[in-house]
Each structure stands twice: as C-alpha cells, then as structure tokens.
Amino acid sequence: MANRVQIRTSNSALIAMIADEDTITGFLLAGVGNVDLRRKTNYLIVESKTTVKQIEDAFKEFTTREDIGIVLISQYVANMIRFLVDSYNKPIPGNFGDPV
Amino acid sequence: MESSENGRESNEGISVKEENILNFLDSVDGYLILMDSLSSTLRQGWLELASARHSMGASRINSTLFDLKLHPASTTLQVNDQSAAPDRELPHFTLCKWASSNNPEKYFEEAKFGEDELLKKSNSLRHRDISHNSEIQARSPESVGSPVTVDDQAEKERYKSLSMFGTLVSPKLRASQLSFETALEMLVEVSNMRASLLCAHDQVQKDMETATK
C-alpha cells in the first residue's frame, strides 16, 4: 500500500473520533481530519466541559452517517456512554475503544 | 459397519468443532497482541506530542489551531463491497494513507448534493464556495501534468497536516505524526481482527448450542 498512489474513490469511508485533545491532534496529524461543506467535522474533542449529552449526540451522529467506516472512542469516554455503546451492534461503522 | 461410520462422522464433527475453537482462540490471541502493540504505539505518540508541546509551547499545539476550513480527509478507509463477494459476511477495512487530491472536483460533486439545500438558505456561502472551487480547478491541471512520485505525494500531504501548527515544527511533532500513522494502520488491523474474532465466537456458540440439543 505504501508504494501505490492512493486515489480517493466514491466508496471511501472516514474514521470518526471521540477522544481527548491529544488523541485527536495525533490522528489529525495522520490525515484523518475531514471538514464538510456544513463545517461539520468527523471528530469530537472531549474536554472537562463536554457534557454526556454532547458525547451521546456525537456517537449517534457518527454511527448513522454513511460516510463513516470506523468510530474510534477513548475508553474513558466510552465508559461515560456505556449503555449506548453496548447497545450498538451493527458491523459498520465498526467501533472500539482505545486500549488506554 | 454402521457404528464405525457413525464413529467416523462423530470424529469428523468433533474435529470441526475443535477447529472452530482453535480459530477462536487464535483470533483472541492475535487481537490481544495487536491491542498491546497499539497501546504502546499510542503511548509513544502521546509522549512525542507532549515533548513537541514542551519545546514549541502550548499555544502552538492546541485544538484552536485545527483547520476548520472545508477539506477532505487525506487518510481514508476502503470498506469491502459485500455485493461483490456475497459469501463474505465480514466487513473488511483497508487503509488508504495520504490519498491523492488529484481529483478534487469529484469531492465537490459528491458534496454538492447536500449543498443545494444550504444554497437556498445562504447565497453568500455559495459564492465563497464557487470561488474556492474555481481556484482548485485552476490548480488541478498543473498538478496532474507534473510527475509526482508516491513518496513526494505522501510527504506533501504530511507537510499539509503539520502546517496547521506552523511552518517550522519540532522534530518531535514529526515523530508523533509517524507514530500516529503507525497506530492508524494497527487500528485497521484490529478492526479486521475483531470482526473475524466475533465471527469465530459466533461459530463456537452455535457449535455449543447444537451440542447441548
């Protein structure tokens, strides 16, 4: 894969993230950040002032968007919305938590 | 004769079940090893990011500097098309790192479907997007014509990602970028491994249910 030029195709999917600022920063450096015409991003930075409702809304939004293939969520954030995460059972987008 | 045939069949049935259990255990083992590697790679990335923040200053590496202008992701996923392989039940992800922006028109065409609704609400937004689109179209013929190697393309995209934190960045920030790239590759492997693990688990459960009946 490293030796081929990657051309974006119509069945490309994004990686969404719900995590702390450092994790989001790191993955944005790796090129996964996406901003659409409505200025909507494919990530949510969870800070001390982020409410559980905001996290739940972001999780629901990312798991219903058709252009997202994987939802990455930090373990401690997933614990805040454990019921919602455990009740999600679709294969795509797949979701799993950071190990740390 | 019948009893020996039944014995042979039951032996074959047992070996299939054992095979399923072995597959499941292999998947669990592979998954745990991958998660452990991912954990250490992420830790390394966080430490390098913290070092970069220490040397460059907290004001130069924070979320307020994130690019919130319209832009597509350089690194995306390819999800396997299930209609192309109907016998494949598992989703399979493939990472496409630093995808070329050689056809930005296609990205704007896909987004235009949702744009039409917004255009009615705000004309000023449309004028801004059209001028941005025409700038991209004017640039794209030049980039398609020039011979760009794969490594140059990847480096160019990496530089774009780093540039949101300034032109001159700490080597630790570059190292952090590479660590998170590696972590991303591992994440996709973990996703695929998890899918096969869940499939193997379902198979073992089915075998147990048939055994108890």
Side-chain angles (χ1 to χ4, degrees), chain A residues 16 25 70 72 74 77 82 91:
Chain A
T25 303
I70 290 177
L72 182 65
S74 288
V77 176
R82 179 52 58 194

Side-chain angles (χ1 to χ4, degrees), chain B residues 143-154:
Chain B
S143 62
V144 169
S146 60
V148 179
T149 64
V150 171
D151 291 338
D152 288 345
Q153 181 63 36

Side-chain angles (χ1 to χ4, degrees), chain B residues 32-205:
Chain B
L32 290 174
I33 289 171
L34 273 173
M35 287 296 272
D36 187 56
S37 302
L38 175 62
S39 176
S40 55
T41 305
L42 281 172
R43 278 201 196 95
Q44 187 180 344
W46 287 321
L47 274 173
E48 284 160 350
L49 189 61
S51 299
R53 188 178 278 123
H54 178 73
S55 63
M56 290 170 65
S59 58
R60 285 197 60 193
I61 302 181
N62 64 70
S63 56
T64 55
L65 300 171
F66 289 171
D67 185 6
L68 292 177
K69 291 180 290 192
L70 169 68
H71 71 273
S74 305
T75 300
T76 56
L77 293 170
Q78 290 279 24
V79 185
N80 70 319
D81 185 2
Q82 307 224 347
S83 60
D87 56 332
R88 248 186 124 164
E89 297 173 357
L90 304 174
H92 185 81
F93 302 102
T94 310
L95 189 67
C96 296
K97 281 172 60 173
W98 306 120
S100 168
S101 311
N102 285 344
N103 192 8
E105 294 175 16
K106 190 168 175 62
Y107 176 79
F108 288 110
E109 282 172 9
E110 289 173 1
K112 201 172 168 56
F113 182 73
E115 182 193 352
D116 289 340
E117 293 179 4
L118 292 175
L119 291 179
K120 292 172 190 172
K121 291 179 187 176
S122 172
N123 288 328
S124 61
L125 180 62
R126 180 178 188 174
H127 290 310
R128 197 164 47 217
D129 285 336
I130 287 175
S131 63
H132 181 66
N133 198 4
S134 60
E135 283 174 15
I136 296 290
Q137 288 178 7
R139 282 205 299 270
S140 62
E142 294 172 2
S143 62
V144 169
S146 60
V148 179
T149 64
V150 171
D151 291 338
D152 288 345
Q153 181 63 36
E155 278 309 308
K156 197 172 145 190
E157 297 293 335
R158 279 197 186 97
Y159 176 75
K160 257 193 229 172
S161 291
L162 281 170
S163 63
M164 65 179 164
F165 298 117
T167 312
L168 292 173
V169 296
S170 163
K172 284 290 183 184
L173 192 65
R174 292 180 198 276
S176 170
Q177 183 180 46
L178 290 174
S179 294
F180 276 98
E181 271 185 52
T182 308
L184 208 52
E185 288 165 11
M186 286 181 183
L187 276 169
V188 173
E189 280 182 55
V190 167
S191 293
N192 292 327
M193 182 64 75
R194 188 167 173 267
S196 65
L197 190 158
L198 291 172
C199 179
H201 174 260
D202 289 342
Q203 192 60 49
V204 167
Q205 263 200 321

